[in-house]
Amino acid sequence: AFTARPVAAAVQGGMGPMSGQQQQLQQHQMQHVQQQQHLQQPPTQHLQQPMAGSTGGSLGPPSVGVRPVGLQGGPISSTALSTSAGAGTAGAGMPNGLPGAPRPAIGHHSTSQLQPGLPAASTAQRPLQQHPHPQGFPQQQNQVLQQYQQPGPMQQQQHLHLHQMHQQQQQHQAAPQAAQPPQRPGMAAPFSQAAVNGVLQPLQGGPSAHMRPTAPGFMPASAPGPPMMPPRPPVPGLMPGGVAPGPGTVQASALPGPLAPMQPGGLPPPPGAFSGPAAALPPLPGAGFPGTGPVGMPGPPPGVTAGYDAYAGQKLVEQFEALTVSSGPSAMPTDAYAYPHPAGLERAVARSPQQPYHPGNCSSDNMRPTVMGVPASTALRMRWHLPLGVVVRPMADEACGRTVPIIPLGSQGIVRCRRCRTYMNPFCSWVDGGRRFKCNVCGMMNEVPVEYFSTLDGSGGRRDVLERPELSCGTVEWVAPQEYMVRPPMPPVYFFCIDVSQAAYACGLVEVVCNTIKACLDKLPGDERTLVGFLTYDSSLHFYNIKPTLSAPQVLVVGEVADPFLPLPDDLLVNLKDSRPVIEALLEALPHSYSNTATSNDCAMGPALQAAFLVLGHVGGKLLLFQAGLPSLGPGTLKPSRDNLNLYNTDKEPTLRVPEDPFFKSFAGEASSRQITLDIFLGTNGYADLASLSHISKYTCGQVYHYPGFHAPRDGMKLSAELQRNLTRPTAWEAVMRIRCSRGLKISSFHGHFFNRSTDLLALPTCDPDKVFGVQISHEETLVSGPVAYVQCALLYTNSNGERRIRVHTMMLPVLSELSELYRACDGAAIACLLAKLGVEKSHTAKLDDSRQALLGKLSLSLKEYRLLHSAHVRTPGALIYPSTLKYLPVYLLGLIKATPLKSTGRDVPADVRSAAAHALMSATVDDTLLLAYPDVYQLTNRDVLCSTKDNQAVVPDTLPASLHAMQPQHVYLIDNGQMLVLWIGHGASVQWLSQVLGPDVMNPAIDPSTLPLEPPRDSSNVSQQLCSLISTLRSRHCSCYAPAFAVRQGTPLEAHVLPLLVEDSSYGQLNYVEFMQQLHRGVMSK
C-alpha cells in the first residue's frame, strides 16, 4: 500500500523546519501510534469511560453511529459507507483505528445499522476509547468508536482476502512508481476505475499528494509496515476542521476525461458539472488547504495567500477526443467506422453553428464566424493556423422566410457614429442621462438627436428599447434618406442576350429559354416599374423594337460586329406592363424565326455584350447571356487551343483558369461601374473557355449556369428551373456592402463575387439570397482592448419597389486570451466553407496540387498546435488528438480536395466543368459547401422510409456514411450532393420495388435504368409518389442549383461517374478516408 511518511521523517529528510500545523500533525500521529498499540491488546483490558461532555458514570448502550469525516449530510448506513469511493470505512469487523482508516465522527443512528447482520447487543458492549486530542484540534474529532467482536467464518474469509490484497500492495509498492503528472485546478487526479469502488490513500508527501486506489477495506492491525497517519478527507466546500476555504483555494471536484459531456454549441461544461461516477468522488486530501497545489507545482509567491492560481497562464483544453491511428510502426488500422462520420444523428451536430455569444447578435445565417471570438493579441493569432473570419450572407432572411424589422425614416435621420459611421445597434451604451451614446466599435461619444432622445432606467438602458428594433435586434433595415442616393432609385431591369446560331437551335436551347421567360413574366419583381429588352446574335446582331405602340415586334439587324452600335437610341428597353403583348409575341416567334435560316455556328458573343452595355449603361440591371458555342467573331473571341492538358502539373497550369484576353476583365470593370450584372447560361457541346467568360460574372456579382452538351429533353427541366429561380428571387439593386469591426481589428481580405472599390467597400450591382461572401479578420494593433469585439455588416441597396434601404447585421464576439479557448469556440462547418473559398482562389495562381496541399497544411498545423496544448501524460502515444469542435473537419476537407474544383488533373475533369464548379463554390452557403464536400446518402428500400410525411412533405430519413461499404447490394439508395440526385440501384434490389418507381420496363435486362425517368410521379404507384415527394423536399434545401434525378445500376459504366460522390472511398487514385487520416496523422506527428 502507498503510505505517507511520518512528518518527523520528512523533516529529518531535509524538508526544513516544521510549521505549527506540521507539529500538530506529528503530535497527532505519535498519539495515533500509541493508540494502535493500546488497541491491539485483548478487549477485556479496556475500561468503559464516559464520553467527553457527559456527566460521568457508567455508559449504557450507546445510540451513536459512525460516518466518515468529510461527508456532508446526516449519518449513512454501512452499505453506503462500504461502497463510497474514498470514504475510508473499514470492512465488516475491522476496527476504525487501523492505519488507512479515517477517524469516525459521532452521528445519531443506532450502531446496529452500521454493519448488516451484527447483533445490536454486541455492538452495545463495545467500549468507547477516548484519546487526548492535540492542541488546536476539537476534542470531538479525536473520539474513536472501537468495535470488536469474535471473528466468525465470514470475518475470517474477509481477513484472508485482505491479507492477500495487502501482499499485492506490498509488491506493487516495491516496484518503481512512475512520476505522477500535476493536476489542474478544479480537476481531480486521473483515477482509474478501481478508485471508484476502492479506498483512496495518499502518496508520500503529505495531504497535497495525489490519491491512489487500493482494495476495498483496510489491512489488518497485525499487518506489518510503518505506522501511517490516518487521512482526513475534507468536507466538500470546507477545509479540514470545518473551516470554509478562502478565496483562491483550489478544490478538485471532477475527473478529467476526453469524452466529457458538452454544452450546446460545443463549449465544455463548467467545473463541477460532470455527471457519472466522477462527480461522486470526494475532493483530494489537501485540496482544501489554501496555497497548496498539485504535486510539482510551485506555491504562491511570498506574501500572496489568497487568489493565487498556479495554472492561471496554463489553461489546457479539457474537451478533446483521441483517435488511435497507429500504435506501432506497422500497426495501421483499416476500419473506417472508427473515424467520425457527419452522417445519421451526427449530421445535424456537424453542421450546427456555435451558440451566439449574446442574444442581441444577428442570426448565424447572416453572419457566421469561424470562431465565436477573436484572439486578444497578434501573437495568439499567429498560433491559430485556421481561417479567422466570417461567412456573410446579407440577404439570408428572405431565404429563411424571416421578416426583417424596418425602421422608418424619421426627422432625426439615421443615427450612427460620427467617426467610424457604425449604425445604431443593441450594443451601444448610453451616458449623460441618455443625451449621448458611446459607439461600441470605436468608443467615441456621440450626441443623441433631440428627436431620438429617451430617458434611462435604473440599469442605464433606454426606456424605449422595446419600441425601437435597432436597440434589441441584431438585424434591422433602415429606410435611407436622400443623401444616400447619387441618382433616383433604379427600376428592376432584365436584358436577355440569346444565341440563335445553328448549335443553339439544334440542342433546343432557344425554345426552352423563350418558354421559361414567357412563363415568368407575371412573377418578375417590380410591378409597374420593371423594364425588359431582347437581343439575339449569331454572326450578326439582332435588335428588337418592342415599344407598346407596335402590334408586332420589329427586328433590326446590325452586321458590323467589330464596332457595334445601337440602331435605335430608344425603344430597346421598354416597360414590361405597357409592352406585354408585343413581348409575348416576340417570345412565341423566336423559337422558329431562325431555325430554318441558321446555317452558321459563328458566334459574335463579345459584340453582343458590348451592344447590351450600350443599352443598359444609363440605368444598369441584369444582363442574362445564353450561349451555345465558342465565341468566334469580334472582340472577346476565344480559342479552343486554350484547353491544353500538357500544361497541367507545370508552372503554366494556373493560366488555364484565368482569362487570356484582357477584354473580359475590362468589360467586367466597366459593367460594375454602371450597375450591370452578368449571368451566364452556357450549354456548349465542347470547350467554351468558361474560365474567361466567368470572370465577367465574378466581378459583377453574377452567376454561372453550365449545361455540358445541352440536350433539351434531358437538361431542359434544369435550365427552366434555374432560370425561373434567377428571375423571380428577391433582388437588391445597385448595392454596396461595407463591413466594420472593432478598434484593433481590420478586414484583411474578401472572398466571393464582387468588385472591390476600396479596402472595405464591395460593389454589388445586384445581390440576392444565394450570394455568400467570405471575410477574413486580422489584427491592426498588437493587442485588442476590451473584453468583447464587434463586427457590423451594412448593405446599402435599392429594393424592387424603388426604396433605398440599409440592411445592418451586428454581432458581438468575446476577446479570447487562450489558444484553448479558440479551439473550444471554433465552428468546423464555417471553417470548411471559408477554406473551400481560399482553395479555389489559390488555384487561380498555383497548381491544383499546391492548392490541395495548402489546405491540408492548415489543418495539419492546427492539429499539431492543439496536440502541444496537452502534456505527454494526457495524450496517448500513437493517437490523433483533436477538439470536438473540429471533429468532422478532416472528412470535410477530404471531400473538398476530391470535389470538382480541386480534384485530380485536367484529364479527369473537363476545364469548363471545373470552372463552373469553382465559380459556384465561391458563392456557396455553408450548407451547400458541406453537401458538396460530403454528400448525403439515404436508404430507400426500408419499409418505413418513404411513408413518413409532415406538412405535405416527405420526412427526410437519416443519412448513411458516404462509403460503398455502408451500402448493401440488395437495397436502393439516394445520393444527394446538391448538384445531382442519384438513385443507386444494387444488383440484388427488389424488381417489384423498382417497377413501381421506374415502370415495368426496368424488368427488361437489356434496358439501362438510367434511361428511365424518375419524374413525374406515376399515378398508379404510391412508392413513386413518395419518392418524388422526397426528391422535391431535398431540392428545396438547395439554393440556386436544380439537382436532376436519375438512376444508376450497380456495375454499369455510368456508375464510374457516381462513385466519386462516395468521398470516403478511393477514386481516381486518390486516398480513401483511412489513408487520408493516416497521412494527416503523419503530418501532425512530424517535427
Side-chain angles (χ1 to χ4, degrees):
F2 296 97
T3 58
R5 281 193 302 171
V7 177
V11 174
Q12 295 175 4
M15 294 181 61
M18 294 184 296
S19 62
Q21 187 178 12
Q22 290 176 337
Q23 293 178 1
Q24 294 176 0
L25 294 177
Q26 179 184 6
Q27 181 180 2
H28 179 64
Q29 182 181 9
M30 298 302 298
Q31 294 173 355
H32 180 70
V33 172
Q34 297 175 3
Q35 169 194 352
Q36 285 195 276
Q37 295 176 357
H38 179 68
L39 291 178
Q40 291 175 3
Q41 299 177 5
T44 56
Q45 298 180 5
H46 289 276
L47 300 177
Q48 286 188 342
Q49 299 179 1
M51 294 181 61
S54 64
T55 57
S58 177
L59 180 67
S63 60
V64 295
V66 178
R67 68 177 177 89
V69 177
L71 294 179
Q72 292 179 338
I76 55 178
S77 64
S78 60
T79 304
L81 291 175
S82 61
T83 59
S84 298
T89 54
M94 298 302 298
N96 288 315
L98 297 182
R103 292 176 289 108
I106 302 301
H108 300 283
H109 277 240
S110 172
T111 54
S112 61
Q113 300 178 358
L114 295 177
Q115 299 174 3
L118 184 65
S122 61
T123 306
Q125 297 176 1
R126 296 171 189 159
L128 293 174
Q129 180 67 30
Q130 180 179 0
H131 302 279
H133 60 277
Q135 183 178 1
F137 287 82
Q139 183 176 2
Q140 291 183 356
Q141 290 188 358
N142 295 308
Q143 295 175 350
V144 181
L145 179 64
Q146 303 295 340
Q147 301 177 1
Y148 294 99
Q149 66 175 1
Q150 296 297 329
M154 180 179 300
Q155 286 73 17
Q156 293 177 0
Q157 183 178 3
Q158 292 180 354
H159 278 276
L160 178 61
H161 174 69
L162 293 174
H163 182 66
Q164 295 175 355
M165 295 297 299
H166 176 60
Q167 291 180 350
Q168 296 177 2
Q169 294 172 0
Q170 287 181 333
Q171 296 175 1
H172 183 64
Q173 183 180 11
Q177 299 297 327
Q180 293 298 312
Q183 60 170 324
R184 290 178 287 168
M187 298 180 61
F191 291 99
S192 63
Q193 184 63 29
V196 177
N197 299 322
V199 178
L200 306 180
Q201 293 185 350
L203 286 171
Q204 296 182 3
S208 63
H210 284 288
M211 303 301 295
R212 293 291 182 87
T214 63
F218 298 90
M219 57 184 177
S222 59
M228 184 180 66
M229 181 180 65
R232 298 178 293 106
V235 178
L238 298 177
M239 295 193 307
V243 183
T249 302
V250 178
Q251 293 192 2
S253 60
L255 296 181
L259 298 177
M262 299 291 292
Q263 286 183 333
L267 297 179
F274 296 98
S275 60
L281 291 176
L284 293 179
F289 287 93
T292 60
V295 177
M297 289 300 298
V304 178
T305 57
Y308 176 74
D309 186 0
Y311 284 89
Q314 188 184 353
K315 297 180 180 178
L316 301 182
V317 182
E318 299 179 9
Q319 299 297 326
F320 69 92
E321 299 188 18
L323 179 65
T324 302
V325 177
S326 62
S327 57
S330 60
M332 304 296 289
T334 59
D335 186 10
Y337 291 98
Y339 299 88
H341 302 274
L345 299 179
E346 300 182 26
R347 180 185 183 275
V349 178
R351 303 189 179 194
S352 60
Q354 290 275 8
Q355 293 294 324
Y357 179 72
H358 191 276
N361 282 5
C362 64
S363 172
S364 60
D365 299 324
N366 298 117
M367 288 201 301
R368 184 165 179 175
T370 58
V371 180
M372 190 59 70
V374 295
S377 62
T378 55
L380 183 61
R381 174 64 182 91
M382 293 178 63
R383 298 179 61 189
W384 178 255
H385 302 283
L386 295 174
L388 178 68
V390 182
V391 179
V392 181
R393 190 182 180 187
M395 299 188 67
D397 299 276
E398 284 80 359
C400 300
R402 295 192 298 260
T403 302
V404 180
I406 299 176
I407 305 173
L409 181 61
S411 57
Q412 78 280 357
I414 296 180
V415 183
R416 56 192 304 193
C417 178
R418 291 186 292 108
R419 180 166 62 187
C420 68
R421 310 303 291 167
T422 297
Y423 294 89
M424 178 59 61
N425 59 80
F427 310 110
C428 293
S429 56
W430 306 90
V431 296
D432 195 14
R435 297 179 179 86
R436 294 189 299 168
F437 72 91
K438 182 179 180 181
C439 176
N440 58 304
V441 173
C442 68
M444 181 181 180
M445 292 293 181
N446 297 268
E447 297 293 333
V448 176
V450 177
E451 299 84 357
Y452 200 74
F453 172 78
S454 174
T455 58
L456 306 181
D457 56 16
S459 61
R462 289 173 59 108
R463 298 185 184 275
D464 61 347
V465 63
L466 299 180
E467 302 173 5
R468 296 189 178 273
E470 68 272 16
L471 302 180
S472 59
C473 300
T475 297
V476 295
E477 192 162 272
W478 298 77
V479 177
Q482 186 68 30
E483 55 264 25
Y484 288 81
M485 307 177 190
V486 296
R487 64 175 184 176
M490 63 171 290
V493 179
Y494 298 89
F495 195 82
F496 303 93
C497 288
I498 305 174
D499 182 6
V500 291
S501 62
Q502 183 181 8
Y505 274 101
C507 66
L509 177 68
V510 178
E511 183 178 3
V512 175
V513 169
C514 293
N515 293 337
T516 305
I517 296 175
K518 182 180 178 180
C520 294
L521 292 179
D522 291 331
K523 303 177 183 177
L524 292 180
D527 298 331
E528 300 180 355
R529 304 174 64 250
T530 305
L531 303 179
V532 296
F534 294 87
L535 183 148
T536 61
Y537 61 95
D538 45 15
S539 58
S540 58
L541 306 180
H542 315 130
F543 297 88
Y544 296 91
N545 183 4
I546 49 177
K547 62 182 180 179
T549 57
L550 297 177
S551 59
Q554 295 179 351
V555 57
L556 299 94
V557 180
V558 176
E560 180 61 38
V561 295
D563 188 13
F565 61 92
L566 298 182
L568 285 177
D570 300 318
D571 301 329
L572 297 178
L573 199 62
V574 298
N575 185 276
L576 173 60
K577 182 179 180 181
D578 298 339
S579 301
R580 178 68 176 269
V582 185
I583 294 173
E584 291 182 348
L586 174 63
L587 293 174
E588 291 177 356
L590 275 181
H592 313 287
S593 299
Y594 303 95
S595 59
N596 297 327
T597 59
T599 59
S600 174
N601 282 327
D602 291 336
C603 178
M605 185 208 70
L609 292 178
Q610 291 178 330
F613 178 82
L614 297 176
V615 176
L616 298 175
H618 69 285
V619 61
K622 289 178 70 72
L623 173 58
L624 294 94
L625 177 68
F626 301 91
Q627 177 75 16
L630 186 70
S632 57
L633 294 176
T637 299
L638 299 176
K639 303 175 183 179
S641 59
R642 278 252 299 163
D643 189 17
N644 188 358
L645 299 180
N646 295 327
L647 296 182
Y648 283 91
N649 293 326
T650 66
D651 295 338
K652 295 184 178 181
E653 178 187 336
T655 61
L656 300 175
R657 293 181 284 273
V658 295
E660 184 180 29
D661 192 340
F663 164 80
F664 297 96
K665 285 189 175 180
S666 61
F667 182 84
E670 294 176 0
S672 177
S673 64
R674 299 296 182 91
Q675 307 297 336
I676 299 175
T677 291
L678 176 64
D679 292 331
I680 301 176
F681 295 80
L682 186 63
T684 58
N685 198 19
Y687 179 69
D689 198 0
L690 188 56
S692 297
L693 290 175
S694 62
H695 263 63
I696 304 179
S697 297
K698 173 182 178 181
Y699 292 111
T700 60
C701 198
Q703 200 160 345
V704 172
Y705 303 89
H706 187 217
Y707 312 94
F710 181 84
H711 184 55
R714 181 192 63 202
D715 305 317
M717 184 179 297
K718 177 178 174 64
L719 172 58
S720 179
E722 292 177 343
L723 178 56
Q724 181 177 359
R725 165 72 176 175
N726 185 292
L727 296 176
T728 59
R729 63 190 174 189
T731 304
W733 307 89
E734 51 182 351
V736 290
M737 186 174 72
R738 176 176 271 121
I739 299 179
R740 300 175 175 88
C741 51
S742 293
R743 185 169 51 188
L745 302 173
K746 66 177 181 179
I747 304 299
S748 59
S749 61
F750 296 91
H751 311 278
H753 300 151
F754 53 86
F755 189 85
N756 200 348
R757 289 188 182 177
S758 61
T759 56
D760 61 344
L761 184 65
L762 306 183
L764 312 174
T766 61
C767 188
D768 52 75
D770 300 335
K771 297 299 186 295
V772 177
F773 308 91
V775 178
Q776 290 201 81
I777 300 176
S778 61
H779 284 67
E780 196 173 26
E781 300 177 1
T782 304
L783 297 176
V784 179
S785 60
V788 294
Y790 303 91
V791 179
Q792 186 179 86
C793 171
L795 178 71
L796 173 63
Y797 72 98
T798 301
N799 63 11
S800 297
N801 296 325
E803 295 179 340
R804 200 71 171 153
R805 300 285 185 86
I806 307 174
R807 182 166 299 188
V808 180
H809 308 287
T810 311
M811 179 174 56
M812 172 196 287
L813 297 174
V815 176
L816 306 178
S817 58
E818 297 290 340
L819 184 61
S820 60
E821 297 175 343
L822 291 176
Y823 282 102
R824 189 180 296 115
C826 66
D827 185 345
I831 291 175
C833 180
L834 195 51
L835 281 176
K837 302 181 189 305
L838 295 177
V840 171
E841 284 196 349
K842 187 173 180 60
S843 67
H844 294 160
T845 58
K847 295 185 292 186
L848 290 175
D849 185 65
D850 295 340
S851 302
R852 294 191 292 263
Q853 293 302 323
L855 298 182
L856 295 178
K858 290 181 180 294
L859 178 60
S860 178
L861 289 175
S862 177
L863 295 182
K864 180 183 294 187
E865 192 75 37
Y866 182 78
R867 183 179 180 86
L868 296 177
L869 288 177
H870 301 82
S871 55
H873 77 278
V874 176
R875 59 175 186 255
T876 305
L880 179 62
I881 301 177
Y882 51 85
S884 59
T885 50
L886 300 179
K887 181 178 181 179
Y888 306 100
L889 184 58
V891 68
Y892 282 141
L893 200 57
L894 172 63
L896 287 176
I897 64 178
K898 286 186 174 184
T900 303
L902 297 175
K903 75 174 181 181
S904 296
T905 61
R907 292 175 173 81
D908 301 324
V909 181
D912 289 342
V913 174
R914 188 189 302 276
S915 298
H919 191 278
L921 190 57
M922 286 299 297
S923 62
T925 64
V926 175
D927 291 338
D928 287 349
T929 302
L930 300 184
L931 191 59
L932 178 66
Y934 195 91
D936 291 335
V937 180
Y938 306 95
Q939 179 183 339
L940 301 183
T941 47
N942 190 345
R943 178 179 302 177
D944 299 330
V945 168
L946 297 178
C947 297
S948 302
T949 58
K950 182 180 180 181
D951 298 334
N952 297 326
Q953 288 188 344
V955 175
V956 179
D958 293 335
T959 60
L960 299 175
S963 173
L964 197 60
H965 299 286
M967 304 166 65
Q968 301 176 5
Q970 65 269 21
H971 293 295
V972 178
Y973 300 86
L974 185 65
I975 306 175
D976 176 21
N977 74 334
Q979 309 293 324
M980 65 182 72
L981 291 165
V982 181
L983 189 70
W984 187 87
I985 303 172
H987 55 69
S990 172
V991 179
Q992 290 77 12
W993 191 92
L994 294 176
S995 62
Q996 298 183 58
V997 174
L998 299 174
D1001 293 338
V1002 75
M1003 298 183 181
N1004 188 351
I1007 298 179
D1008 189 354
S1010 61
T1011 61
L1012 302 177
L1014 289 173
E1015 299 174 295
R1018 304 177 186 275
D1019 297 334
S1020 60
S1021 173
N1022 292 332
V1023 177
S1024 176
Q1025 296 177 5
Q1026 293 165 358
L1027 176 60
C1028 291
S1029 177
L1030 175 61
I1031 291 175
S1032 177
T1033 302
L1034 295 178
R1035 283 175 179 157
S1036 64
R1037 295 181 171 184
H1038 308 156
C1039 285
S1040 60
C1041 181
Y1042 177 88
F1046 58 93
V1048 172
R1049 185 183 290 274
Q1050 182 183 10
T1052 58
L1054 191 59
E1055 188 188 20
H1057 299 279
V1058 178
L1059 293 181
L1061 301 179
L1062 306 176
V1063 297
E1064 294 190 11
D1065 300 334
S1066 177
S1067 60
Y1068 292 104
Q1070 294 179 325
L1071 302 178
N1072 58 29
Y1073 191 14
V1074 176
E1075 296 169 345
F1076 174 79
M1077 294 297 290
Q1078 293 170 354
Q1079 178 183 358
L1080 178 63
H1081 181 240
R1082 288 191 294 268
V1084 172
M1085 300 298 294
S1086 63
K1087 299 298 183 181

